Amino acid sequence: MTKDYLKEYDAAAEADKYPLVQKWMKTEPLPFFKQLRAERPVLVTPECTLLALFTDIRDCLQMPKIFTVDLYKPKMGVTDTDEGYLMAHDDDALHYREKSIMQGMLNRDDLPRVREGIRKSAQKILDDANGRLDIVDNYTRMVPALMVQEYFGLDGIDPKKLLKWSFWNQYNTFHNQPFDLNSKEKYDHIVSEHGKCSVELVDYITVLMVRKILTVKIKDRILGTGLKVLNVLRAICKKDPVVLKDDIVKRMLRTSFAEQVDFPLTRIGTNAGGLLIGSVETTSQAVAQVIQYFIDRPELLVKAKAASRQEDTAAIDALVWEALRFVPISPYMFRQTSEDYTIAKGTDRETAIPKGTNVLTLTQSAMFDTYAYDNPDDFNPDRNWYHNFNYGFASHDCLGKYVGMAMIPEMVRQIMLRDDLKAVLDMDYEDGPFPEKYELSWK
Ligand code: HEM
């Protein structure tokens, strides 16, 4: 018999209602969301309002000035004197300008090269492991950290520091909000660890900027003249030109912006930090959860292994995206309303949401809504990508999504290619929001 979540919810004391919702979202999201979609698609709890239907979620995420990311502001450096990171801005000049500049910097033509880099670092880590590895710190976190160093250019530092900075930043921003119900002690601890990491990150970025500016402005100029001559000779001999080493930080520094574009060095530094923060913990969680999803389902594991052996990566990519619908890195994105708004006007579920309400858009529920998905409970890798919310939606959709779309399946693929793959121990979250340990063995 299917469980009646709403009956239990309605019978619960006021103070117990949201904790129940939180528990179900963590432990049994799919049947809970199914009942919400069918019976109460807008659930108003004492802590926040939950939206369960595809159309309401799409509607909400398309109105960033009304459904704002204000809850990000204190976590992303926004103060009276500092604009902080672009992600904490809603459809304003800074967000529009910096997001588009950064989208251009992360040139999608780089992706084959990025994927090849991921393949090499992943293979090396697995080859060196001799058939047994706790994949979280050593692989699912380390491979994106190496990408951050090599492609994004946040180099010259122990990658473990990058892991730590990404971890506390993501923890504080996405899992230390009012609706996470953390104790005051836990809340303060996370804020304090994030604070320490921010100081270290700013110091590191400052030194990095100076070092890279020197490289770009001095070394490039000296080498550049020599290279021009050399490349004329190489062209005559029909050889490929020699090019200066490129990464995203260098690329930003080599680009000159008119003053009116308003993208000074300080903003380049902030955006370089953002690349790191967004990359590591998100990728780690997605990769670890998809690998577990495959390993726990022998029939699917056979398919994933067969797809991984193909030179064309389309099949494994599709399997990975479909798996992420079942095990996304979060079942929701959150917003805060800046004014009163009535959602789903003219329908049975029409609900007035007062200004200042925290809203959870249950994006995982949206990915199981029959409005957008046929037979949503079936695992079907052949789905319409445009209905997928794993990289967010509309103006705040993920800046790194195309990098992630190359990196995540390639990392899963390299694990799938190992023979006799087994989980030695179950995945352990150690009571936190992210996978912390997952030991695998292979031949
Ligand atoms: C690969 C490196 C990555 C980078 C550099 C990155 C960076 C970013 C940035 C800057 C934003 C905010 C964009 C904005 O506000 O306009 C964003 C949003 C988002 N990213 Fe990523 N990200 C990365 C990987 C990932 C991965 C692997 C996932 C999940 C599988 C992910 C999920 C999301 C989601 C769901 C949002 C939307 C958040 C919201 O709307 O509130 N990202 N990302």
Side-chain angles (χ1 to χ4, degrees):
M1 217 185 74
T2 46
K3 181 163 160 179
D4 193 339
Y5 297 94
L6 288 173
K7 196 171 166 197
E8 201 177 323
Y9 176 86
D10 290 337
E14 199 67 357
D16 296 334
K17 284 186 187 301
Y18 183 70
L20 272 177
V21 166
Q22 195 196 34
K23 184 180 88 183
W24 295 328
M25 287 195 294
K26 273 190 190 152
T27 56
E28 40 201 319
L30 293 180
F32 172 50
F33 293 161
K34 190 180 239 176
Q35 192 183 8
L36 285 186
R37 286 195 302 279
E39 294 173 35
R40 210 169 302 169
V42 182
L43 178 69
V44 180
T45 80
E47 285 292 335
C48 53
T49 293
L50 284 74
L51 305 180
L53 290 185
F54 183 95
T55 46
D56 293 348
I57 291 170
R58 187 172 57 181
D59 197 25
C60 158
L61 293 174
Q62 270 170 343
M63 293 183 281
K65 287 280 190 211
I66 300 176
F67 291 88
T68 73
V69 290
D70 283 354
L71 290 166
Y72 291 163
K73 287 190 161 55
K75 316 281 186 172
M76 295 192 178
V78 179
T79 64
D80 290 344
T81 51
D82 193 325
E83 289 158 314
Y85 189 43
L86 69 88
M87 191 168 180
H89 288 251
D90 278 303
D91 197 13
D92 60 7
L94 184 142
H95 183 267
Y96 203 68
R97 171 173 73 239
E98 296 196 359
K99 181 130 184 210
S100 52
I101 291 174
M102 293 309 294
Q103 282 172 328
M105 292 292 156
L106 299 177
N107 186 345
R108 284 172 65 182
D109 287 338
D110 299 340
L111 290 173
R113 163 163 86 82
V114 174
R115 189 159 184 155
E116 181 56 15
I118 300 293
R119 185 185 66 74
K120 282 192 185 146
S121 358
Q123 267 182 355
K124 179 165 184 339
I125 291 174
L126 297 179
D127 288 348
D128 290 350
N130 287 323
R132 192 172 172 136
L133 188 70
D134 172 10
I135 62 165
V136 178
D137 269 351
N138 300 302
Y139 184 82
T140 63
R141 286 179 171 142
M142 191 52 78
V143 175
L146 295 174
M147 183 282 293
V148 166
Q149 298 210 303
E150 282 157 28
Y151 176 52
F152 292 161
L154 280 82
D155 48 23
I157 181 139
D158 181 351
K160 293 214 172 85
K161 291 239 165 173
L162 302 179
L163 306 192
K164 188 177 86 170
W165 296 338
S166 176
F167 174 91
W168 286 110
N169 196 306
Q170 292 277 326
Y171 203 158
N172 192 24
T173 307
F174 297 102
H175 304 279
N176 204 22
Q177 295 289 351
F179 36 84
D180 290 306
L181 305 181
N182 293 335
S183 65
K184 178 158 177 3
E185 198 187 5
K186 184 171 177 186
Y187 177 89
D188 290 345
H189 173 66
I190 299 168
V191 169
S192 151
E193 290 301 317
H194 179 198
K196 285 188 242 164
C197 289
S198 298
V199 173
E200 288 177 21
L201 176 61
V202 168
D203 287 351
Y204 162 71
I205 293 280
T206 310
V207 174
L208 179 80
M209 287 294 130
V210 173
R211 177 161 58 80
K212 296 247 165 179
I213 289 170
L214 290 177
T215 311
V216 166
K217 303 284 175 203
I218 301 174
K219 208 166 142 197
D220 276 19
R221 282 215 183 127
I222 299 166
L223 280 177
T225 318
L227 276 184
K228 268 188 200 145
V229 178
L230 178 71
N231 283 335
V232 170
L233 294 172
R234 289 180 70 88
I236 293 166
C237 306
K238 297 204 179 343
K239 287 191 173 164
D240 289 340
V242 176
V243 288
L244 293 168
K245 191 180 173 311
D246 161 62
D247 58 45
I248 300 300
V249 174
K250 281 189 178 167
R251 205 177 279 185
M252 287 196 269
L253 293 169
R254 281 181 182 132
T255 309
S256 43
F257 298 96
E259 205 186 319
Q260 293 76 5
V261 176
D262 197 7
F263 198 60
L265 207 53
T266 47
R267 298 305 305 167
I268 294 183
T270 304
N271 276 285
L275 290 179
L276 154 72
I277 301 306
S279 303
V280 178
E281 211 50 60
T282 48
T283 303
S284 172
Q285 185 172 6
V287 171
Q289 289 179 176
V290 170
I291 291 170
Q292 184 194 36
Y293 192 79
F294 288 160
I295 289 184
D296 287 354
R297 289 165 182 76
E299 275 178 32
L300 204 49
L301 183 63
V302 170
K303 284 188 189 156
K305 282 177 148 294
S308 297
R309 284 193 287 273
Q310 292 172 27
E311 203 173 313
D312 181 349
T313 58
I316 183 65
D317 292 4
L319 285 168
V320 169
W321 299 125
E322 179 63 352
L324 269 178
R325 197 165 66 86
F326 290 83
V327 284
I329 65 167
S330 170
Y332 59 74
M333 287 182 285
F334 50 84
R335 296 292 188 261
Q336 191 174 66
T337 46
S338 63
E339 57 185 71
D340 296 346
Y341 184 79
T342 302
I343 197 96
K345 259 191 210 126
T347 68
D348 294 349
R349 62 183 188 279
E350 172 173 326
T351 307
I353 305 179
K355 174 180 175 174
T357 305
N358 294 333
V359 176
L360 305 192
T361 65
L362 302 176
T363 40
Q364 186 176 23
S365 174
M367 294 191 287
F368 283 81
D369 187 336
T370 47
Y371 175 88
Y373 289 87
D374 296 333
N375 304 317
D377 296 337
D378 295 352
F379 187 96
N380 172 8
D382 189 20
R383 298 220 181 249
N384 179 347
W385 167 253
Y386 291 105
H387 289 148
N388 195 299
F389 283 100
N390 271 310
Y391 282 108
F393 183 71
S395 91
H396 285 286
D397 79 341
C398 178
L399 173 65
K401 75 176 171 185
Y402 294 105
V403 175
M405 282 165 73
M407 178 160 54
I408 293 171
E410 190 56 41
M411 287 175 65
V412 173
R413 179 172 177 240
Q414 291 308 320
I415 294 268
M416 292 296 126
L417 284 171
R418 303 282 143 168
D419 289 334
D420 203 17
L421 182 67
K422 288 194 182 70
V424 179
L425 294 171
D426 278 348
M427 190 148 79
D428 191 353
Y429 287 74
E430 294 179 349
D431 291 330
F434 308 115
E436 293 295 342
K437 295 238 159 8
Y438 190 35
E439 196 167 334
L440 302 185
S441 70
W442 59 87
K443 275 208 179 119

